């Protein structure tokens, strides 16, 4: 789950850099791609390894079909880890995504100010794509984060195993939605199909 969150943030930043770069993209150089992959996995490993060394713990999630952080433990050790996960693995990636897409949209607006005719339509398509991607990100991850925070800081037993299934599935499937949105809302990609 954390790899998918960080990957979405890295992809949004990379898309911003590619779209606003002054040079043409080099499709034969995979150095940036590999750097993004290594960054995503390394950052994720840094934040998923602590329970193996005693900062919180892992346990069954929901009805016991999957494994996750032990959201139900109320001790300070566990609560501090949950808060750090929330900040560094949800809030910061979300800020990067909003920043990257916001800057991308601003750059498109500046270009469309010069090129009034086609620029306006392109600006609207990109705005729709950005809004849909941010909304999907929030729809996938906010229910999961909310359930985790309620389980950690709320009354014991408030979140039942059955209530945690859908937020968990949404969060774990979030990586699938960004490419689908990009394919259907990007005119260049849909022409190739």
């Amino acid at each position: 789950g954390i790899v998918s969150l960080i990957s979405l943030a890295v992809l949004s930043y990379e898309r911003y850099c590619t779209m606003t770069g002054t040079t043409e993209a080099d499709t034969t150089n995979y150095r940036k791609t590999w750097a993004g992959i290594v960054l995503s996995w390394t950052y994720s490993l840094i934040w998923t390894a602590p329970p193996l060394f005693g900062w919180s713990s892992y346990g069954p999630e929901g009805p016991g079909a999957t494994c996750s952080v032990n959201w139900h433990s109320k001790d300070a050790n566990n609560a501090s880890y949950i808060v750090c996960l929330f900040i560094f693995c949800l809030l910061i990636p979300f800020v990067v995504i909003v920043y990257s897409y916001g800057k991308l949209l601003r750059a498109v607006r500046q270009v469309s100010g010069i090129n009034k005719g086609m620029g306006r339509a392109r600006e609207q398509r990109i705005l729709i794509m950005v809004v849909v991607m941010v909304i999907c990100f929030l729809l996938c991850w906010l229910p999961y984060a909310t359930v985790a925070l309620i389980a950690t800081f709320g009354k014991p037993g408030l979140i039942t195993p059955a209530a945690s299934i859908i937020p968990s599935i949404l969060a774990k499937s979030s990586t699938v939605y960004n490419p689908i949105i990009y394919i259907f809302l990007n005119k260049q990609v849909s022409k190739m199909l």
Side-chain angles (χ1 to χ4, degrees):
I2 292 174
V3 170
S4 71
L5 275 169
I6 303 307
S7 295
L8 290 174
V10 168
L11 284 170
S12 69
Y13 183 74
E14 193 280 328
R15 187 170 300 140
Y16 158 70
C17 290
T18 301
M19 297 284 285
T20 60
T22 55
T23 59
E24 198 169 314
D26 181 7
T27 57
T28 61
N29 186 353
Y30 295 105
R31 192 174 332 181
K32 280 176 53 178
T33 304
W34 282 110
I37 292 168
V38 168
L39 174 72
S40 297
W41 281 91
T42 303
Y43 190 87
S44 300
L45 183 62
I46 288 168
W47 284 107
T48 54
L52 301 175
F53 300 104
W55 189 19
S56 189
S57 63
Y58 287 115
E61 179 179 50
T66 60
C67 181
S68 185
V69 175
N70 184 0
W71 305 113
H72 300 285
S73 175
K74 302 288 184 190
D75 66 350
N77 180 22
N78 190 59
S80 65
Y81 180 68
I82 301 298
V83 168
C84 284
L85 275 181
F86 185 77
I87 292 168
F88 292 100
C89 297
L90 181 68
L91 222 50
I92 290 176
F94 179 69
V95 167
V96 169
I97 289 168
V98 169
Y99 171 82
S100 298
Y101 287 144
K103 294 289 265 183
L104 177 61
L105 187 59
R106 188 178 319 162
V108 169
R109 277 194 174 151
Q110 288 173 348
V111 170
S112 65
I114 298 167
N115 229 350
K116 294 254 187 223
M118 283 175 52
R120 193 53 131 178
R122 182 172 187 231
E123 179 184 330
Q124 289 175 341
R125 278 195 316 274
I126 290 176
L127 176 62
I128 290 169
M129 184 173 64
V130 167
V131 168
V132 169
M133 285 181 173
V134 170
I135 288 171
C136 282
F137 179 90
L138 291 174
L139 287 175
C140 288
W141 285 102
L142 275 184
Y144 190 71
T146 303
V147 165
L149 290 173
I150 291 171
T152 302
F153 297 107
K155 293 178 186 175
L158 189 60
I159 302 295
T160 64
S164 66
I165 292 172
I166 291 177
S168 177
I169 290 170
L170 276 173
K172 290 174 172 79
S173 66
S174 68
T175 307
V176 174
Y177 305 123
N178 229 7
I180 292 170
I181 293 165
Y182 190 69
I183 287 170
F184 286 110
L185 293 179
N186 187 326
K187 196 173 184 179
Q188 292 170 332
V189 175
S190 60
K191 281 182 182 178
M192 292 176 11
L193 298 175

